[in-house]
Amino acid sequence: MSAVVRRPVAVIAALVLFAEAVGIVIINVVLGTVVKNQDMSLAGTDPAVMSKGTWVLGGVSGLFLVLCGVLLLLAGIRDRAPGRVARIVLIGCAVIHGVLGALTVGLVGWSAFALMMVVLGLIVLTLVAYGPAADEKPAPGAEPGQPAAPAPV
């Protein structure tokens, strides 16, 4: 895939993840506030603990999505493949989007599922686009047919 396509895909994926991070934080803050204001317990759990846990989950999820967005943005700006750790983080993000997409069908609906699958597709397309190209030469000492090692970020 050429740089004309993969750079914009990586940048668009990063922007989508930034927007998703803001949305996740806002949703968790609202949910935490509702739990705190209702002052109800779930099987004897303290409502203050549940509300703080929801806020922390929102913050951690938002930071993770921002991290993934930054990794995609750097890949798009530099036009280089993400390094090994960055690829692992992005693969984890893609897996999470796939699982959450499957859960949202029953809980939220098909439109939320479609949105999660679009984000999943953008992440996977970026990872595949920055994978080893067919025209790269094998690493020195590699067996024929093995791709060259990806460039570290």
Side-chain angles (χ1 to χ4, degrees):
M1 188 178 290
S2 69
V4 175
V5 174
R6 66 183 179 199
R7 290 181 91 173
V9 168
V11 171
I12 289 170
L15 295 175
V16 168
L17 285 178
F18 292 147
E20 186 179 2
V22 171
I24 289 294
V25 169
I26 289 172
I27 287 171
N28 279 285
V29 167
V30 168
L31 288 175
T33 304
V34 167
V35 168
K36 183 179 175 187
N37 290 339
Q38 288 293 320
D39 199 27
M40 298 185 312
S41 69
L42 181 65
T45 307
D46 184 20
V49 171
M50 289 178 14
S51 110
K52 288 177 185 168
T54 304
W55 292 334
V56 169
L57 177 66
V60 170
S61 300
L63 287 175
F64 178 70
L65 289 170
V66 167
L67 169 68
C68 293
V70 167
L71 294 174
L72 288 171
L73 190 62
L74 287 174
I77 290 172
R78 295 177 180 169
D79 197 26
R80 286 193 345 210
R84 180 173 292 169
V85 174
R87 288 182 78 81
I88 291 170
V89 170
L90 291 173
I91 290 169
C93 186
V95 169
I96 289 170
H97 276 85
V99 171
L100 289 178
L103 291 173
T104 58
V105 172
L107 297 174
V108 182
W110 286 102
S111 59
F113 170 78
L115 181 65
M116 295 299 284
M117 293 303 106
V118 166
V119 177
L120 170 66
L122 287 170
I123 295 169
V124 170
L125 181 59
T126 303
L127 288 170
V128 170
Y130 281 107
D135 59 312
E136 287 183 357
K137 296 179 183 173
E143 295 179 16
Q146 284 185 333
V153 175

